[in-house]
Amino acid sequence: ETQGHWLGLMSRICFLVQAAFLDRGRRSPYVLDVLLRRVRSTVFGSVRPRFILILCTPTQACMRHELCRWLRTFGACPVLKALVVAEAVGFVTLGEAPYRGGSVKNFAVGQALPYVDQSIQAVSGLGISPSDLRCDELGRMVINGPSVVLGGTRPEPDQDRFDDRAERQVHGGAATDVLVGRRGAAIFVFGRLSS
C-alpha cells in the first residue's frame, strides 16, 4: 500500500509538471514520460495511442479546455476534435482541441475539411452579435460536398419531401440547423437553432 501511495503521488507530480510544459507550448522531458508509463499502461494496456479523437455533435460540442489538456497530458498524444453532422454523413471539421483559452474556445471544433465547402448564412433575431462571441461571422452552417445529403435532413412542414432538394444541393448546399461562428479558419459550434 505504501508503494501504491508513492506511485500515485509521483504520478500526480509528473502530471502537473507535464501540464505546465504543455501550457508553455513545450514538450515535456522524456523522464516524465517514463515515470508515467506505468500509469498509462494500466489505462491503455500495451497500446500507445497516436491521438485521441473526440467526436462532437452540434448539441455537444463544448468541452472544457482543462479536460482537453488533461487528456493530452495523460495520453502523451494530441487530442483532436471533429464535428459530425447528419447532413454531411460524417466529419465536417477536424482540428486539435484547445488546451488553454477563454470560454468561447471550449466550443472550437477545428477547421473545415478540404472536401467540405462551408459557408455561414446570417440568421436574424438571434439577439447576439459575432463580436459578443469573439467571432468574425455568426450564423447557420451551410455545407456542400460529396458526402452531403441532398438539401439537408429536415423538410419544411408544408413542403413535399423531394420537390426542390436536388437544386438546393447544387446551388446553395445543405442548410443545417447548426449555429456556428468563425474566427479566421477556426470554427466554433454553439448548438442547434431548433430543438
Side-chain angles (χ1 to χ4, degrees):
E1 187 172 314
T2 306
Q3 181 183 8
H5 171 75
W6 285 110
L7 180 63
L9 182 63
M10 184 65 109
S11 296
R12 277 181 262 170
I13 291 170
C14 291
F15 182 83
L16 291 173
V17 171
Q18 279 188 327
F21 272 92
L22 183 63
D23 284 344
R24 290 179 180 81
R26 296 174 35 202
R27 178 139 172 81
S28 62
Y30 179 74
V31 69
L32 293 178
D33 287 336
V34 171
L35 291 172
L36 279 177
R37 189 172 294 153
R38 182 168 178 189
V39 177
R40 285 187 188 118
S41 68
T42 303
V43 175
F44 296 120
S46 63
V47 176
R48 172 92 188 221
R50 296 181 75 189
F51 60 88
I52 297 172
L53 179 62
I54 301 169
L55 298 177
C56 302
T57 64
T59 56
Q60 296 176 339
C62 181
M63 178 170 272
R64 297 185 55 85
H65 60 273
E66 293 91 353
L67 179 58
C68 295
R69 183 179 69 194
W70 186 88
L71 287 169
R72 168 71 172 92
T73 304
F74 184 76
C77 63
V79 177
L80 305 175
K81 283 178 78 174
L83 175 65
V84 179
V85 293
E87 294 86 353
V89 192
F91 295 174
V92 179
T93 66
L94 180 67
E96 196 161 356
Y99 304 127
R100 56 186 168 281
S103 58
V104 173
K105 282 199 171 189
N106 294 337
F107 294 92
V109 290
Q111 300 176 357
L113 292 174
Y115 61 86
V116 178
D117 180 32
Q118 289 186 5
S119 61
I120 297 179
Q121 181 182 60
V123 177
S124 61
L126 283 177
I128 54 174
S129 69
S131 61
D132 293 338
L133 297 173
R134 299 179 187 156
C135 294
D136 300 332
E137 296 178 82
L138 181 67
R140 179 188 313 266
M141 177 189 286
V142 178
I143 53 176
N144 200 352
S147 65
V148 174
V149 175
L150 295 178
T153 58
R154 298 178 190 209
E156 299 297 322
D158 59 340
Q159 186 178 29
D160 185 24
R161 200 174 233 313
F162 300 104
D163 60 358
D164 68 336
R165 299 240 170 202
E167 186 167 329
R168 280 189 14 200
Q169 167 65 20
V170 172
H171 298 295
T176 65
D177 285 340
V178 181
L179 178 64
V180 297
R182 183 185 316 236
R183 183 182 336 144
I187 297 174
F188 303 87
V189 175
F190 299 111
R192 287 227 178 247
L193 290 168
S194 63
S195 56

